[in-house]
Amino acid sequence: MDWTDLIDVAFDALGSDSNKSSALHSVQQAARPDELPVAATAGRHPDHFRKGALVLTTHRLVFLKDGKPPLPVPLEGVTDVTVTRSRLNGEILKVVALTGAHRFEEVDKAEFFAEQLRGTARTARDRHRAPAAPAADLLDQLERLAALHTAGALTDAEFALAKTRLLQG
């Protein structure tokens, strides 16, 4: 799959062709040289009325919406990915990362996309993991998690799960 195919998949899921070239340009422009496309689907961010494209690469998850700046989530910081179902909001994809919790509603093929996201995030963490992480780095990550929890970005359960996963390596 190349970048054009990835954006085509996302916009086909949206049922729209609007600003496809703009979305492609914004993702490619911010891409690292070794970053490759993985998967795409459509979903709605709670702050937006209409759906946007969720694009998964080897390094990040990006939410693209017409006229809005891309919302990137670095994969090496992803600690949990869950899918729930609601009568009102359809399938809900929740991504907990060191940058905060992200929720996407009405996600097309959410369970399949979540599996791809989990696997790609695990690979990204392994790629960025140093042979022996210094204790100071672990302490910094724990402090960031605690700050997110204190700020209300993570619930008690999300904080406990993220902390456990971080400590288990």
Side-chain angles (χ1 to χ4, degrees), residues 111-123:
E111 200 58 57
F112 179 72
F113 190 76
E115 282 302 317
Q116 292 179 309
L117 178 54
R118 287 182 196 107
T120 308
R122 190 172 21 261
T123 301

Side-chain angles (χ1 to χ4, degrees), residues 65-146:
K65 180 84 170 66
D66 289 345
K68 304 284 184 190
L71 172 66
V73 179
L75 293 184
E76 62 269 7
V78 172
T79 59
D80 191 35
V81 178
T82 57
V83 175
T84 57
R85 184 153 186 77
S86 158
R87 279 190 284 178
L88 182 61
N89 297 319
E91 289 189 289
I92 300 165
L93 175 69
K94 190 162 188 184
V95 180
V96 178
L98 295 176
T99 56
H102 306 275
R103 176 185 164 115
F104 303 96
E105 301 168 348
E106 300 175 27
V107 177
D108 295 345
K109 300 178 184 173
E111 200 58 57
F112 179 72
F113 190 76
E115 282 302 317
Q116 292 179 309
L117 178 54
R118 287 182 196 107
T120 308
R122 190 172 21 261
T123 301
R125 283 191 305 272
D126 291 346
R127 183 177 55 242
H128 286 91
R129 186 173 289 149
D137 184 42
L138 180 61
L139 183 59
D140 286 345
Q141 291 177 348
L142 287 170
E143 286 174 347
R144 277 187 272 163
L145 275 177

Side-chain angles (χ1 to χ4, degrees), residues 7-16 40-43 51-54 106-109:
I7 298 300
D8 285 344
V9 167
F11 278 80
D12 287 347
L14 280 171
S16 169
T41 192
K51 281 187 170 184
L54 285 163
E106 300 175 27
V107 177
D108 295 345
K109 300 178 184 173

